[in-house]
Amino acid sequence: MKPKTIKQKKGPGGNLGLARLGIILWLVILAWSPGLFARSVQGEANKEETRWYSIRLGEETVGYVKETGSRLQQAGRWYWKSVTESKIVLRRLGQKVEMRVSYEHLETDEGLLKKITAEQLLAGSRVRTEIEVEEDRAKIKNLTGNQVFSREIPSSGRLLGPVGIGKLTNDKLKRPGDKVEYRTILAELAQVISGERTLVGEEVVDCGRNKMTARKVIDRISQIETTRQVWLDMEGNEVKAVEPSPFGDIVTCLSSEQEVMEAMAASRGQEQFFQSSLIRSNVRLPQARGLDRLVVRLKHSQPELGWPDLANEYQKILENSGEVKVVELKRVPLRSSPDGQLSAEEKKPYLEANTYIDINDPEIKRIASEVAGREKNVFQKALKLRDWVSRNLAFDAGFVFAPASEVMKAKKATCAGYAALLAALLRAAGIPSRYLMGIVYANGIWGGHAWVEAWLEGRWVPLDAALPSPGAADPARIAIARSSLAEGPGGSLVAAQKFFGSVSVEVLEFSLKGRTVKINQNQPLYEVKDNRYWNPGLQLGLRAPDGFTFAELDGVWPDRTLLALKGPDGQVVRLFQEGWFPSENLEKYLLERLKKEVNGGRQIQLRVWGKKRPALVSAEKSALAILNGTDLFLLVASGKNSEKLLAGVAAALENRLIAD
């Protein structure tokens, strides 16, 4: 029998916070935060009213939330059904990044949660989560492609849905200072969470349509350690909300479909939101992928958020004073005495398939067998799988997060996808693996990143396919969360929420090939004096040819430019810094890289820093590749007599950290 539906009179203001929480938590992967909110529970009517909300970052509208609600009668009992659809569109590295999250909550007429259905579309396919709440447990089912993964969590006590939380809010928050506590299930974390709401008072809110008097409420969720400000109308519907994110405050305001769509169409999609989440380094690190050790000072601008657990086998806390931590980071040797052993039960979650590490995919099994099946040495087996991922995937900023099987099919991903696929291949080859989230150094910045750890002969060894090193992953990174991903990435994102956008990084010293360099606190990133450029971090210098001036000296990732020289007749010379790549044929790789700069040039060799280096030259453009340890420098000269100009600048290029 088809359920009877009676449409709700007042607009559904209830699970707007849930929808935004899903979006913000996923924003952490690109670089987070939440709540649910009150739904009006007025009587039945014949007309359904849909509410639209704009999502703004700064002055720009970047997304929307659409909410509808209805009452259903099933087997003689009434239920509330809330449906929320949300979307955010940003730009990152010139590409559109689109994230969609939808929710459906079903709860009793009294507001007790019965079922949640959530879907995330962050790449090419949807990931669906279904949660059914029973008296003492919640049954969780994750569906992706044709695979289903099921588990249970305990859920004793009263768990409320959006309507239930709204009713509780309206019933209990009467005077400023009144508080109320609630418990519910958050789909992204797939766990029971506790919240507390406090009524601040009444304020006039202006969302651009009209002004109205609203009640301001502070909502705190303990498991996520976040606080959001919310304004409710007199019927309990959400009007406005402000909450933090790595890119600044996210503001949600009551709007209309037309206003939201017009604002999004006019959005410029600026990249500053992502740039604001990057941490400028106080030093340009030489051969970052080849470093042996670093010591960094971390300073938390919001220590009340707490710190994620940073201490592990290769991250040692040297100083800890609340808002400041000094951490020593070391490279893990591939061959060394084991730290310990894991039992079969302890290894189990790191060998099993789950929603995102779906190792039962036939193609993942095939590649794992072909690449590493005959290799006996477990270290080499892991490195071969890492190298395969590095060589066969392309970076795509719009491919936010997806199961490993989808990454395998698309052959593109962000670092999150590189890590998911490598973790899956390792497990398919019988090697326990876990997913890491943290920050990494790259070309002058520290930014959010994902990589993996593999259990290799008695210790966890970090491996990175997106920013590879010749062996284990380098120590120019800080791990802040580890997970099997059996429960999804939500737990890691919550840990990241305590870190991203709130912590600064200062390099105090680094070690490279037995040499330790201490960083002077007042040391500049670079200096130009008497027409000579000097970079104290890279220990690299260059004197400009007569008539040339330095330019473009402040580029950081994703800009590869270290410096540029502008000549009197329009000539331009640029020096790019890139990283090491696990190429099967180094000479061929360098030549192909040069061909991307020079079309149809003549191949020659130039002696730089004591070695012959490959170059492609032509009348108007010439390029030179200089591999120094794990740094690849590309020197590109454009304009008349480019070959002669290239040779002259290359001869003047100096480096005091020349690798063997």
Side-chain angles (χ1 to χ4, degrees), residues 202-252:
E202 293 186 357
E203 294 182 359
V204 175
V205 174
D206 184 0
C207 277
R209 302 178 69 193
N210 47 52
K211 294 182 179 181
M212 66 180 72
T213 300
R215 294 178 296 161
K216 181 179 180 180
V217 174
I218 301 298
D219 191 19
R220 296 181 177 88
I221 298 178
S222 57
Q223 285 83 348
I224 306 175
E225 298 184 31
T226 190
T227 298
R228 59 193 298 262
Q229 304 174 69
V230 184
W231 289 262
L232 306 175
D233 64 21
M234 294 302 113
E235 295 170 342
N237 295 304
E238 185 170 320
V239 176
K240 179 181 178 181
V242 177
E243 45 209 321
S245 85
F247 314 120
D249 285 345
I250 289 184
V251 180
T252 309

Side-chain angles (χ1 to χ4, degrees), residues 287-304:
Q287 302 182 47
R289 308 283 76 88
L291 293 175
D292 301 313
R293 173 181 169 272
L294 284 93
V295 177
V296 297
R297 178 185 288 118
L298 309 178
K299 186 173 183 179
H300 209 309
S301 63
Q302 301 182 71
E304 65 276 8

Side-chain angles (χ1 to χ4, degrees), residues 6-46:
I6 295 184
K7 298 178 180 179
Q8 186 180 355
K9 179 179 180 181
K10 296 297 180 181
N15 54 328
L16 170 59
L18 266 182
R20 188 169 47 252
L21 171 56
I23 285 286
I24 296 173
L25 281 176
W26 287 113
L27 278 175
V28 175
I29 287 187
L30 298 170
W32 66 62
S33 145
L36 317 99
F37 231 87
R39 169 182 300 284
S40 170
V41 289
Q42 304 296 315
E44 306 165 4
N46 296 323

Side-chain angles (χ1 to χ4, degrees), residues 157 165 264 268 281-283 299 307 346 390 400 408 462 488 509 609 628:
I165 296 173
M264 290 189 67
R268 295 164 293 174
S281 179
N282 62 310
V283 62
K299 186 173 183 179
W307 289 86
E346 289 173 319
S390 297
V400 181
M408 175 68 82
E509 60 182 77
W609 303 342
N628 186 51

Side-chain angles (χ1 to χ4, degrees), residues 242-501:
V242 177
E243 45 209 321
S245 85
F247 314 120
D249 285 345
I250 289 184
V251 180
T252 309
C253 257
L254 185 64
S255 187
S256 67
E257 180 179 9
Q258 181 178 347
E259 289 174 343
V260 166
M261 295 307 173
E262 288 177 352
M264 290 189 67
S267 174
R268 295 164 293 174
Q270 294 184 2
E271 302 242 358
Q272 75 269 21
F273 303 126
F274 289 105
Q275 295 296 326
S276 67
S277 69
L278 303 178
I279 306 168
R280 285 259 182 171
S281 179
N282 62 310
V283 62
R284 193 92 177 199
L285 290 173
Q287 302 182 47
R289 308 283 76 88
L291 293 175
D292 301 313
R293 173 181 169 272
L294 284 93
V295 177
V296 297
R297 178 185 288 118
L298 309 178
K299 186 173 183 179
H300 209 309
S301 63
Q302 301 182 71
E304 65 276 8
L305 294 177
W307 289 86
D309 185 10
L310 299 178
N312 62 37
E313 302 85 353
Y314 49 89
Q315 293 181 179
K316 182 180 180 181
I317 309 299
L318 302 180
E319 297 179 22
N320 186 0
S321 62
E323 67 178 23
V324 175
K325 290 182 185 289
V326 176
V327 186
E328 181 184 46
L329 311 167
K330 288 186 175 181
R331 180 183 291 273
V332 177
L334 283 180
R335 291 173 177 81
S336 61
S337 58
D339 291 332
Q341 294 297 325
L342 293 180
S343 67
E345 190 64 25
E346 289 173 319
K347 289 180 182 178
K348 187 177 179 181
Y350 305 114
L351 285 169
E352 290 182 331
N354 59 50
T355 306
Y356 292 99
I357 313 298
D358 46 348
I359 63 175
N360 295 324
D361 177 76
E363 186 66 5
I364 288 177
K365 287 183 175 181
R366 183 184 72 82
I367 293 298
S369 177
E370 287 185 4
V371 173
R374 295 183 180 181
E375 178 61 58
K376 302 299 182 183
N377 184 293
V378 68
F379 298 105
Q380 291 303 314
K381 181 180 291 191
L383 289 178
K384 284 184 176 181
L385 293 170
R386 190 277 313 271
D387 291 351
W388 188 92
V389 176
S390 297
R391 294 167 184 163
N392 287 276
L393 293 192
F395 184 84
D396 188 325
F399 206 84
V400 181
F401 195 67
S405 58
E406 186 178 345
V407 176
M408 175 68 82
K409 181 179 179 180
K411 297 295 190 297
K412 61 182 180 179
T414 62
C415 60
Y418 277 71
L421 181 54
L422 178 54
L425 289 170
L426 287 164
R427 292 186 194 183
I431 300 174
S433 66
R434 58 188 185 185
Y435 184 94
L436 272 64
M437 186 177 291
I439 61 172
V440 70
Y441 172 87
N443 281 23
I445 60 94
W446 295 82
H449 193 53
W451 62 102
V452 307
E453 284 179 336
W455 183 257
L456 303 176
E457 296 190 357
R459 72 186 317 167
W460 287 108
V461 177
L463 299 170
D464 191 341
L467 290 174
S469 303
D474 58 86
R477 62 190 65 230
I478 302 171
I480 60 179
R482 294 170 170 79
S483 173
S484 68
L485 289 189
E487 299 177 359
S492 296
L493 299 180
V494 170
Q497 182 181 346
K498 300 178 182 180
F499 201 93
F500 291 167

Side-chain angles (χ1 to χ4, degrees), residues 179-192:
K179 296 183 179 182
V180 66
E181 296 180 352
Y182 63 89
R183 296 171 71 246
T184 187
I185 292 180
L186 189 59
E188 276 70 25
L189 300 182
Q191 71 179 58
V192 176

